[in-house]
Structures are given as structure tokens and as C-alpha cells.
Amino acid sequence: MKCGIVVFPGSNCDHDCFHILKHVLSQETHWLWHKEEANLESFDLVVLPGGFSYGDYLRAGAIASFSPIMNSIVRFAKAGGKVFGICNGFQVLLESGLLPGTLIQNQSRKFICKNVSVRVENTDTPFTRNCRENQVLEIPIAHHQGSYYIDPFSLNQLEENGQILFRYCDATGKVSAESNPNGSVGSVAGVSNEQKNVMGMMPHPERCADPKLMGTDGQIIFQSLISNS
Amino acid sequence: MLAQIHVTFKEGVLDPQGKTVHHALNDLGYDEVLDVNIGKYLEIKLDSASEEEAEIRVREMCERLLANTVIESFRFSLVPTE
């Protein structure tokens, strides 16, 4: 699988993503610089990593969504290419209109950095096809602006289209207000577009995908993409 | 010309900052405070040929970048400058 990792000014999880794809999972991986448009035709996957692109000025992801590389990524996504946004990358995908909804400040107003459980809600996507139905993954979150918001009608539509890929839950897979760390509507932790080739999530699977570190639950998402390409 | 732009959360969108300030004001004894909304205020200096043109362009700036219209609404006024 040929992968590209986008580097915005302020990205800080780009090297983690690069490390997992290239060194842990032995995939061909390239950097994509935000200032240049790129020919992505030969790529299988583009990852928008976490961080604080452009210092999160104005709104998280707002300025990055107008970077030259985003023109190439929008074209790539429209042609069916797989695009994966993690944390700040998710925020960029929402701001660019590739994914529906938006992310607002956590209900607690605090930056939250901890391991959480998420339940796989749809296994029929390139990002989740190696998962079991309702599988619970333990993946860390680290964000201040991670409360997913969309109007109730659109949330219902996402549900009907199977676009909700992950929900925050407890260790047994139960979804409740207590297991929702940031106040996201519907406990949504990750969503895809209607075609299922663009996905964004707040938890960081790249932080739990190297066997040298504690936990490898995040690997299954990258493995799904690899076995699908 | 100067554009004075206010960007605020739409009704129904949770505003945790506003809520916190609301409680703080009540704690200080300002019981008349019913609700607090915190937004952004931007001043943009413009070199526009006319007010009509500025109006169109500023609206476009708000829709494209300055406000996220999924959760935010905006209003602005144009003030002449020397």
C-alpha cells in the first residue's frame, strides 16, 4: 500500500503515523507537504495527522483546510481514494467539507488525554473490515476541541447510512453518558463520508499500534486498510 | 472601510465557555443574568471601491472562512474610515 502523510505547520503526530505505516507495518510511505499540490493518483491512502495545524487559530483545522495540498486531497477523495483524518486531521476534513458535522470544545472545557474505549459500529468499510462487529478497542484521546456536533436530523442520516464507525463506550462496549468523554452527540468518535472512503476520528490509533508500546488495538484500523488495498 | 464582524454560536449549540461565565456571574450576585454567549469579534480593514462591494465580499469571507456555518452565525457592520 502506498501511503502519504500530510505535514501542516503544527502537525505533531505526523512522525507517529509515518513510523507505524513504514516501520511497523512495512508500507511504502511518503511525506506530503501542505504548501504543494501533489499528484496522488498512485497513492492508496492519505493520512491527515493530529496536532495543532496553524496553531488552531480561528477554529481547529479551519486554516489548514485551505492549504494547496487540500485541493489535491479533495480530488483524490472524490475519485475514491482513501483519506484518514486523525484528531486535528479529522477537524481539517470537517472544515474542508469532506466529512459532515463539526467538532466543538469539550463539554468539560478541559483538554482530555487518556485511554478510552470505542465500539466499532460498522465493519463494512475499508477502515474497519478486519474488526469484529461491536468490537471494543482501547485507543487514547488527546484533545480540547473534540466534541462532535451535527444537527439531530443529519445525525439520524449518518446512522441510517452506516457512517458512524466508532462510538465512545465503556470497557464492556456499553454506550452511555458516563462513557462519553467529551459530550459528542450520539457518543460519536469517528465518522465516514457516504461512500466510506473518507474517515475521521478523534482517538489516536497510531499511538497504540507499535507492539513495543503498551496496547496495539489501533493497528487493526491500519491493517484493515492494508488488507483492502 | 472597516468591517466589524461578530461570530457567535447558533442557538442550541453548547457553549461551555458561555455557561461557565454565566455561572460565575450568578456566583458574583448578578442574579439577573439569564444567559451568556461567547463569540468572536473581528475587525477587518478593507480597501473596497464601494459599500455594496464590501458587503458582498465580507459576507463571502464569513461564509468561507471566518464562521463555521454548521454551528456559528455571523453579523457585521461596515464603518467608513479615513
Side-chain angles (χ1 to χ4, degrees):
Chain A
M1 183 168 72
K2 186 172 173 183
C3 316
I5 314 284
V6 184
V7 183
F8 295 110
S11 295
N12 63 14
C13 302
D14 42 354
H15 281 264
D16 307 54
C17 293
F18 192 92
H19 170 69
I20 296 302
L21 283 164
K22 180 152 179 142
H23 303 128
V24 179
L25 301 171
S26 309
Q27 303 300 307
E28 182 186 346
T29 307
H30 300 265
W31 297 112
L32 298 171
W33 185 235
H34 69 105
K35 264 200 162 150
E36 291 153 14
E37 296 219 11
N39 183 358
L40 300 173
E41 264 171 46
S42 61
F43 282 77
D44 300 296
L45 171 71
V46 171
V47 180
L48 285 79
F52 297 85
S53 59
Y54 294 89
D56 270 0
Y57 293 161
L58 194 63
R59 293 178 308 277
I63 313 281
S65 69
F66 290 99
S67 300
I69 189 69
M70 285 310 294
N71 295 328
S72 312
I73 291 173
V74 169
R75 273 198 301 275
F76 178 69
K78 301 269 185 226
K82 286 184 275 296
V83 180
F84 184 16
I86 302 167
C87 199
N88 189 230
F90 183 18
Q91 293 161 337
V92 176
L93 291 177
L94 294 163
E95 284 284 343
S96 69
L98 282 173
L99 289 175
T102 189
L103 290 153
I104 57 177
Q105 205 185 35
N106 297 338
Q107 204 160 20
S108 64
R109 302 179 305 283
K110 291 189 175 111
F111 188 95
I112 308 170
C113 183
K114 64 172 185 182
N115 278 332
V116 297
S117 299
V118 294
R119 192 175 73 193
V120 180
E121 300 289 305
N122 181 356
T123 56
D124 190 21
T125 81
F127 302 91
T128 53
R129 74 182 40 191
N130 286 14
C131 303
R132 292 188 314 276
E133 259 178 58
N134 296 324
Q135 186 171 351
V136 176
L137 305 173
E138 194 178 311
I139 304 181
I141 55 168
H143 59 246
H144 186 243
Q145 198 175 323
S147 182
Y148 185 73
Y149 179 81
I150 196 164
D151 66 87
F153 176 78
S154 307
L155 181 67
N156 211 25
Q157 267 187 324
L158 292 185
E159 178 86 65
E160 277 174 18
N161 297 338
Q163 287 174 254
I164 300 171
L165 268 50
F166 301 101
R167 274 199 166 90
Y168 298 109
C169 64
D170 66 16
T172 66
K174 199 172 139 247
V175 173
S176 67
E178 291 75 48
S179 63
N180 183 345
N182 53 26
S184 294
V185 293
S187 290
V188 170
V191 294
S192 76
N193 62 345
E194 222 177 315
Q195 295 74 25
K196 315 285 188 315
N197 65 310
V198 180
M199 194 269 273
M201 65 192 294
M202 284 316 289
H204 284 272
E206 83 284 8
R207 293 191 187 179
C208 54
D210 184 341
K212 289 201 190 87
L213 302 171
M214 280 196 298
T216 52
D217 279 11
Q219 229 185 58
I220 199 161
I221 297 169
F222 298 104
Q223 295 283 16
S224 295
L225 287 160
I226 292 166
S227 61
N228 186 60
S229 69
Chain B
M1 206 173 302
L2 186 72
Q4 301 174 319
I5 306 168
H6 291 268
V7 180
T8 50
F9 278 122
K10 285 181 178 170
E11 223 175 280
V13 178
L14 181 77
D15 174 8
Q17 275 192 89
K19 227 174 188 175
T20 307
V21 172
H22 178 187
H23 290 153
L25 286 171
N26 285 159
D27 287 347
L28 288 172
Y30 298 103
D31 297 329
E32 70 272 35
V33 175
L34 297 177
D35 200 13
V36 177
N37 284 302
I38 296 186
K40 298 186 185 100
Y41 172 67
L42 301 95
E43 282 188 338
I44 299 186
K45 272 190 196 148
L46 298 166
D47 178 20
S48 303
S50 68
E51 198 175 319
E52 288 73 31
E53 186 197 294
E55 166 98 27
I56 293 168
R57 301 277 288 179
V58 171
R59 185 169 301 282
E60 196 181 294
M61 289 178 211
C62 289
E63 280 165 357
R64 287 187 69 191
L65 178 65
L66 304 178
N68 178 343
T69 53
V70 178
I71 45 166
E72 295 170 326
S73 53
F74 61 87
R75 63 195 150 81
F76 62 87
S77 41
L78 298 167
V79 185
T81 48
E82 293 188 4

Coordinates of all heavy atoms in Angstrom, one line a residue, chain B residues 1-4 44-55 58 77-82:
Chain B
M1 N -12.4 51.5 4.7 CA -13.6 51.0 5.3 C -13.2 49.9 6.3 O -12.2 49.2 6.2 CB -14.5 50.3 4.3 CG -16.0 50.3 4.7 SD -17.0 49.8 3.3 CE -16.6 50.9 2.0
L2 N -14.0 49.8 7.4 CA -13.7 48.8 8.4 C -14.9 47.9 8.6 O -16.0 48.4 8.8 CB -13.4 49.6 9.8 CG -13.0 48.7 10.9 CD1 -11.6 48.2 10.7 CD2 -13.1 49.5 12.2
A3 N -14.7 46.6 8.5 CA -15.7 45.6 8.8 C -15.6 45.2 10.2 O -14.6 44.8 10.6 CB -15.6 44.5 7.8
Q4 N -16.7 45.3 10.9 CA -16.8 44.9 12.3 C -17.7 43.6 12.4 O -18.9 43.7 12.1 CB -17.3 46.0 13.2 CG -16.5 47.2 13.2 CD -17.1 48.4 13.9 OE1 -18.3 48.6 13.8 NE2 -16.3 49.1 14.6
I44 N -11.8 44.1 10.3 CA -11.0 43.9 9.1 C -11.0 45.2 8.3 O -12.0 45.7 8.0 CB -11.6 42.7 8.3 CG1 -11.6 41.4 9.1 CG2 -10.9 42.6 6.9 CD1 -12.0 40.2 8.3
K45 N -9.8 45.7 8.1 CA -9.6 46.9 7.3 C -9.7 46.5 5.8 O -9.1 45.6 5.4 CB -8.2 47.5 7.6 CG -8.2 48.5 8.8 CD -6.9 49.2 8.8 CE -6.8 49.8 10.2 NZ -5.4 49.9 10.7
L46 N -10.5 47.3 5.1 CA -10.7 47.0 3.7 C -10.4 48.1 2.8 O -10.5 49.3 3.2 CB -12.2 46.7 3.5 CG -12.8 45.5 4.3 CD1 -14.3 45.6 4.2 CD2 -12.3 44.2 3.7
D47 N -10.0 47.8 1.6 CA -9.8 48.8 0.6 C -10.8 48.4 -0.5 O -10.5 47.8 -1.6 CB -8.3 48.6 0.0 CG -8.1 49.6 -1.1 OD1 -8.8 50.6 -1.2 OD2 -7.1 49.4 -1.9
S48 N -12.0 48.7 -0.3 CA -13.1 48.4 -1.2 C -13.6 49.6 -1.9 O -13.6 50.7 -1.4 CB -14.3 47.8 -0.4 OG -13.9 46.7 0.3
A49 N -14.0 49.4 -3.2 CA -14.4 50.5 -4.0 C -15.7 51.1 -3.5 O -16.0 52.3 -3.5 CB -14.6 50.1 -5.5
S50 N -16.6 50.3 -3.0 CA -17.9 50.8 -2.5 C -18.4 49.9 -1.4 O -17.9 48.8 -1.1 CB -18.9 50.7 -3.7 OG -19.2 49.3 -4.0
E51 N -19.4 50.4 -0.7 CA -20.0 49.7 0.4 C -20.7 48.4 -0.1 O -20.6 47.4 0.6 CB -21.0 50.6 1.2 CG -21.3 50.0 2.5 CD -22.2 50.9 3.4 OE1 -22.0 52.2 3.3 OE2 -23.0 50.4 4.1
E52 N -21.3 48.5 -1.3 CA -22.0 47.3 -1.8 C -21.0 46.2 -2.1 O -21.3 45.1 -1.8 CB -22.7 47.7 -3.2 CG -23.9 48.6 -3.1 CD -23.6 50.0 -2.7 OE1 -22.5 50.5 -3.1 OE2 -24.4 50.7 -2.0
E53 N -19.9 46.6 -2.7 CA -18.9 45.6 -3.0 C -18.3 45.0 -1.7 O -18.2 43.7 -1.5 CB -17.7 46.2 -3.7 CG -16.7 45.2 -4.2 CD -15.4 45.9 -4.6 OE1 -15.4 46.6 -5.6 OE2 -14.3 45.7 -3.9
A54 N -18.1 45.8 -0.7 CA -17.5 45.4 0.6 C -18.5 44.4 1.3 O -18.2 43.3 1.8 CB -17.3 46.5 1.6
E55 N -19.8 44.7 1.2 CA -20.9 43.9 1.8 C -20.8 42.5 1.2 O -20.9 41.5 1.9 CB -22.2 44.6 1.5 CG -23.4 43.7 1.7 CD -24.1 44.0 3.0 OE1 -23.9 45.2 3.5 OE2 -24.7 43.1 3.6
V58 N -17.4 40.7 2.2 CA -17.3 40.3 3.6 C -18.2 39.2 3.9 O -17.8 38.2 4.7 CB -17.6 41.5 4.5 CG1 -17.7 41.1 6.0 CG2 -16.5 42.6 4.4
S77 N -21.1 44.9 10.5 CA -21.4 46.3 10.0 C -20.1 46.9 9.4 O -19.0 46.5 9.7 CB -21.9 47.2 11.1 OG -21.1 46.9 12.3
L78 N -20.4 47.8 8.4 CA -19.3 48.4 7.7 C -19.2 49.9 8.2 O -20.2 50.6 8.1 CB -19.5 48.4 6.2 CG -19.5 46.9 5.7 CD1 -20.1 46.9 4.2 CD2 -18.2 46.3 5.7
V79 N -18.0 50.3 8.6 CA -17.8 51.7 9.1 C -16.8 52.4 8.2 O -15.8 51.8 7.9 CB -17.3 51.6 10.5 CG1 -17.2 53.0 11.1 CG2 -18.1 50.7 11.4
P80 N -17.2 53.6 7.7 CA -16.2 54.3 6.9 C -15.0 54.7 7.7 O -15.1 55.1 8.9 CB -17.0 55.5 6.4 CG -18.3 55.4 7.0 CD -18.4 54.3 8.0
T81 N -13.8 54.7 7.1 CA -12.6 55.2 7.8 C -11.9 56.2 6.9 O -12.3 56.3 5.7 CB -11.6 54.0 8.0 OG1 -11.5 53.3 6.8 CG2 -12.0 53.1 9.1
E82 N -11.0 56.9 7.5 CA -10.3 58.0 6.7 C -9.3 57.4 5.7 O -8.7 56.4 6.0 CB -9.7 59.0 7.6 CG -10.8 59.7 8.3 CD -10.4 60.9 9.2 OE1 -9.2 61.2 9.2 OE2 -11.3 61.4 9.8

